[in-house]
């Protein structure tokens, strides 16, 4: 064994540090479809199927919160058939798999403006959220018709509507007005599809996240890719602006 592979295997043997909150930007469905000479909606279908496959795997880790970016406020600018196709796929997915999600004790949450989505999708989301509301396993939050800037604007509007006095507003109070109220900050943010940006996703909640970018297109993102993200996370030192403690140095 040469030095490089010894170092690699020593790193692998280090115990994994499991993040409490993982957020994923599953990018690359369109390019995957193009690569396979399929329509873009087929790429979204493959992406949703991959999400389903991975969920079973991620659920084996003690990850408490998983937050997925499904549709952004900017995605309305895409062709109508793609947008409608995606809405249909998500509605179908919820209907087909909500019992399975419930049986796994997962809680489903929606982040974003639900009232702007088609009635059928709203119904599916609302009934899935109320069915799983008291579950105590992983909280699966789906950001759908979500924008980070819009989330902050919506929070400010509700703060004002509630008549909260300026001196009563601090970071904790403000967080309680975000769509993500009750969720902790994101520990690990994963983005696939070889794009190095946040795209208006959880801009408040990722202030101190660790970022992991993968080149692989989302429908091809495997269990091994997920594990690579976890081991990369495990090797990082999170100091939150402080200095390394003596204990951490040992
Ligand atoms: C991500 O895949 C899924 C959504 C934004 C809904 P894309 O559709 O952005 O895929 P690319 O970037 O065009 O490959
Ligand atoms: Mg994209």
């Amino acid at each position: 064994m040469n030095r490089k592979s010894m170092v690699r295997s020593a790193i692998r043997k280090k115990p994994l540090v499991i993040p409490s909150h993982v957020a994923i930007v599953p990018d690359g469905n369109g390019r995957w479809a193009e690569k396979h000479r399929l329509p873009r909606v087929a790429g979204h279908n493959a992406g949703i199927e991959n999400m389903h496959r991975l969920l079973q795997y991620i659920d084996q880790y003690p990850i408490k919160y998983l937050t997925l970016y499904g549709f952004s406020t900017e995605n309305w600018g895409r062709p109508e058939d793609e947008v409608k196709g995606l809405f249909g796929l998500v509605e179908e997915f919820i209907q087909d798999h909500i019992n399975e999600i419930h049986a796994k004790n997962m809680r489903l949450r929606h982040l974003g403006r639900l009232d702007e989505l088609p009635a059928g999708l709203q119904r599916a989301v609302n009934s899935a959220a109320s069915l799983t509301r008291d579950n105590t396993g992983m909280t699966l939050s789906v950001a759908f018709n979500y924008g980070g800037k819009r989330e902050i604007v919506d929070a400010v509007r509700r703060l004002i509507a509630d008549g909260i006095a300026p001196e009563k507003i601090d970071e904790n109070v403000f967080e309680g007005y975000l769509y993500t109220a009750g969720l902790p900050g994101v520990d690990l943010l994963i983005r696939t599809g070889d794009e190095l940006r946040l795209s208006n996703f959880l801009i408040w909640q990722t202030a101190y996240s660790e970022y992991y970018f993968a080149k692989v297109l989302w429908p091809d993102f495997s269990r091994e890719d997920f594990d690579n993200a976890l081991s990369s996370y495990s090797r990082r030192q999170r100091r939150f602006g402080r200095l390394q403690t003596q204990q951490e140095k040992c």
Side-chain angles (χ1 to χ4, degrees):
M1 202 189 264
N2 63 26
R3 203 182 125 70
K4 221 173 172 180
S5 50
M6 265 166 69
V7 170
R8 246 190 248 126
S9 77
I11 287 170
R12 242 180 268 127
K13 275 185 204 116
K14 252 185 124 177
L16 279 183
V17 178
I18 304 297
S20 164
H21 187 173
V22 176
I24 303 182
V25 181
D27 198 9
N29 294 348
R31 279 162 285 164
W32 183 94
E34 206 175 304
K35 203 171 105 186
H36 293 82
R37 297 175 191 281
L38 292 166
R40 289 184 62 86
V41 177
H44 294 311
N45 190 40
I48 291 172
E49 278 178 6
N50 194 39
M51 189 67 83
H52 183 220
R53 265 194 305 273
L54 262 178
L55 259 186
Q56 333 282 325
Y57 185 63
I58 296 176
D59 193 37
Q60 295 171 21
Y61 287 108
I63 291 170
K64 280 292 294 167
Y65 306 92
L66 179 67
T67 303
L68 311 170
Y69 206 5
F71 186 81
S72 74
T73 46
E74 291 73 31
N75 288 149
W76 288 104
R78 294 191 178 197
E80 203 186 325
D81 62 336
E82 181 178 347
V83 171
K84 278 196 174 153
L86 179 62
F87 289 172
L89 287 171
V90 171
E91 187 179 332
E92 203 178 285
F93 179 84
I94 296 174
Q95 280 158 357
D96 290 352
H97 298 290
I98 192 58
N99 288 332
E100 179 192 324
I101 288 173
H102 186 42
K104 285 186 181 300
N105 194 24
M106 288 181 191
R107 180 174 169 220
L108 195 96
R109 249 182 100 150
H110 171 260
L111 310 177
R113 283 197 189 163
L114 192 60
D115 58 354
E116 293 170 353
L117 293 168
L121 184 53
Q122 286 188 38
R123 270 195 302 275
V125 170
N126 280 329
S127 68
S130 63
L131 175 72
T132 61
R133 190 177 30 219
D134 298 324
N135 288 350
T136 53
M138 189 167 77
T139 298
L140 178 63
S141 305
V142 182
F144 210 84
N145 193 22
Y146 171 93
K149 288 188 176 181
R150 190 165 297 175
E151 177 179 33
I152 290 171
V153 170
D154 281 351
V156 172
R157 285 184 179 180
R158 289 176 48 229
L159 273 163
I160 293 171
D162 281 357
I164 310 289
E167 63 277 12
K168 291 264 187 300
I169 302 172
D170 60 16
E171 290 174 16
N172 274 334
V173 170
F174 190 74
E175 278 175 355
Y177 277 82
L178 293 170
Y179 304 143
T180 52
L183 301 181
V186 173
D187 296 304
L188 170 65
L189 178 114
I190 299 173
R191 181 169 187 150
T192 63
D194 204 17
E195 305 282 8
L196 310 182
R197 57 176 169 265
L198 196 51
S199 301
N200 202 14
F201 186 44
L202 302 176
I203 53 180
W204 172 283
Q205 300 84 346
T206 53
Y208 258 106
S209 305
E210 297 296 326
Y211 288 64
Y212 182 84
F213 295 103
K215 287 196 189 324
V216 59
L217 304 175
W218 174 255
D220 293 329
F221 187 80
S222 64
R223 294 171 167 205
E224 199 189 344
D225 292 321
F226 185 78
D227 283 347
N228 286 338
L230 285 189
S231 28
S232 167
Y233 176 82
S234 300
R235 293 194 296 272
R236 309 208 190 160
Q237 272 182 9
R238 304 186 75 196
R239 292 183 298 274
F240 300 96
R242 297 185 295 264
L243 299 180
Q244 196 179 15
T245 63
Q246 278 307 323
Q247 206 179 9
E248 282 166 339
K249 276 184 192 162
C250 302

